Amino acid sequence: MAYVEDSEFERDTTYIPDRITRDGTTPDGRPGWPVEPGRYRLIVARACPWANRSIIVRRLLGLEDVLPMGIAGPEHDERSWTFTEDPGGRDPVLGIERLQEAYLARDPHYDRGVTVPAVVEIASGKVVTNDFPQITLDLSTEWREYHRPGAPDLYPADRADEIDEVMRWIYTEVNNGVYRCGFAGTQDAYEKAYDRLFTALDRLTERLRDQRYLVGDTITEADIRLFTTLARFDAVYHGHFKCNRSKLAEMPVLWAYARDLFTTPGFGDTTDFDHIKRHYYRVHTDINPTQIVPAGPDLSGWLEPHGREALGGRPFGDGTPPGPPPADEEVPAEHRARALAA
């Protein structure tokens, strides 16, 4: 959901605004749906940074049994994400070939972007919401009754204002900043976006130099939102989006921070570099018309020691790490081996 205005990239942020809340009511006046185990299906794509957030949050909170997940393939055309890696090319629960079908089931005249993550009501086959920033916050707050024992508090009430402030800034300057570089329509727009992005990354370096996490001494939603951009930086944004002042691996503080999270259960084990590279290099034909997927870079460094334990902090606070992902949700072993091989 994006367009270029005056040669500068702008993201269309008009999403289906419904929310899934504890009792189906919403204090902000948006349409509400009640939390019900098994009623909904979270549709994601491992390639997409916005969807990757919801995969991580769902896993950390242990919601696998109450909110089943469908995984779209890494590529899509102008119409929709598809389920090319499922048997028969269909989601095994919804029975659809394209996520677009769930959007059209809700609104036959739907003409906006078909995005992930999307929450679909299983019985009706209709999309409930694709409001990706709200989806993960609601998983933390509205689905709390169904969190696993030992689930971390990713959005603690006493730090919510600070987390919100940090997330707003990370979204505009970093999460969206790499896209402003990649889809700039002129040299001037690109150079402005480039300077803005690396100014933000330098600022993050200073923030994280002496503290392990972005807010407080535990992992919060803010860390998850930054991680999914950092995880894609060297694999695609550095080359494909021309964010090439430095690789992440050449920014010592951010590189160690990202590796710290990558080796934390729920982060690296939900990251599929194979899907990430195939998506960006094959879908963005305006940037990469040959659709050639580069063989590099060497990503084995993600598994090197990071040393950030010395800064203290407790990744899960008073909670515990999640268990292994369900077998049918594991990143394929061959993808990990191919990406992380030395």
Side-chain angles (χ1 to χ4, degrees):
M1 300 177 76
Y3 57 94
V4 175
E5 183 175 312
D6 296 329
S7 301
E8 294 187 2
F9 171 84
E10 298 286 342
R11 185 171 299 279
D12 182 354
T13 57
T14 306
Y15 299 101
I16 298 172
D18 296 22
R19 292 179 57 190
I20 300 173
T21 63
R22 190 175 296 106
D23 60 3
T25 63
T26 60
D28 53 10
R30 291 193 253 177
W33 300 64
V35 168
E36 291 183 17
R39 178 172 177 176
Y40 309 102
R41 187 161 176 81
L42 176 66
I43 302 298
V44 300
R46 290 194 177 107
C48 171
W50 322 105
N52 197 176
R53 297 175 178 183
S54 63
I55 300 172
I56 294 170
V57 170
R58 172 180 173 272
R59 173 134 153 67
L60 295 181
L61 299 179
L63 292 170
E64 292 94 337
D65 290 339
V66 299
L67 181 61
M69 184 172 75
I71 303 172
E75 299 175 44
H76 62 73
D77 57 22
E78 69 280 358
R79 290 172 56 193
S80 179
W81 293 90
T82 56
F83 298 94
T84 51
E85 302 205 351
D86 283 311
R90 292 182 179 272
D91 178 84
V93 172
L94 300 175
I96 57 177
E97 294 181 325
R98 293 176 172 272
L99 182 56
Q100 182 188 45
E101 296 173 51
Y103 280 78
L104 294 176
R106 174 174 174 134
D107 177 3
H109 304 291
Y110 185 83
D111 60 357
R112 307 189 73 86
V114 175
T115 64
V116 288
V119 181
V120 178
E121 185 182 39
I122 295 173
S124 67
K126 299 177 180 179
V127 167
V128 173
T129 182
N130 65 339
D131 187 352
F132 69 89
Q134 191 65 54
I135 287 172
T136 50
L137 294 181
D138 284 342
L139 291 180
S140 282
T141 57
E142 302 296 328
W143 292 72
R144 193 178 298 274
E145 179 183 351
Y146 299 101
H147 291 182
R148 66 177 175 86
D153 189 350
L154 302 175
Y155 192 60
D158 62 340
R159 306 302 290 264
D161 288 345
E162 183 180 2
I163 293 170
D164 287 343
E165 179 183 358
V166 171
M167 291 192 303
R168 278 193 296 270
W169 178 77
I170 286 173
Y171 171 75
T172 59
E173 304 305 305
V174 181
N175 301 147
N176 216 35
V178 293
Y179 284 84
R180 272 196 301 272
C181 290
F183 290 103
T186 65
Q187 187 71 32
D188 183 61
Y190 163 70
E191 291 181 3
K192 288 178 180 177
Y194 175 98
D195 290 342
R196 185 172 169 183
L197 170 65
F198 281 98
T199 296
L201 292 175
D202 290 343
R203 179 178 170 186
L204 281 168
T205 290
E206 292 309 309
R207 184 181 185 98
L208 290 165
R209 189 179 301 280
D210 298 313
Q211 67 184 63
R212 191 169 179 185
Y213 304 112
L214 284 168
V215 180
D217 66 350
T218 64
I219 292 169
T220 68
E221 172 93 15
D223 296 291
I224 295 166
R225 295 190 182 194
L226 177 57
F227 171 79
T228 58
T229 294
L230 296 183
R232 288 156 176 76
F233 201 89
D234 287 3
V236 289
Y237 300 148
H238 179 271
H240 185 58
F241 279 178
K242 307 178 185 70
C243 302
N244 61 357
R245 188 195 75 178
S246 310
K247 292 180 179 179
L248 177 65
E250 297 166 345
M251 295 181 271
V253 171
L254 294 182
W255 178 221
Y257 165 80
R259 297 199 318 276
D260 187 3
L261 292 175
F262 185 83
T263 53
T264 298
F267 287 83
D269 54 19
T270 63
T271 301
D272 189 331
F273 289 117
D274 183 86
H275 274 205
I276 289 167
K277 289 169 61 175
R278 285 164 58 194
H279 169 71
Y280 282 89
Y281 284 101
R282 289 184 178 170
V283 170
H284 298 157
T285 54
D286 49 343
I287 298 176
N288 185 41
T290 66
Q291 297 182 290
I292 294 172
V293 180
D298 177 6
L299 299 172
S300 60
W302 279 100
L303 300 178
E304 294 176 356
H306 52 76
R308 285 182 63 86
E309 304 94 335
L311 296 175
R314 303 173 302 144
F316 299 100
D318 295 328
T320 58
D328 61 350
E329 294 181 7
E330 291 180 348
V331 174
E334 63 271 20
H335 291 190
R336 294 184 62 81
R338 190 157 55 237
L340 300 176

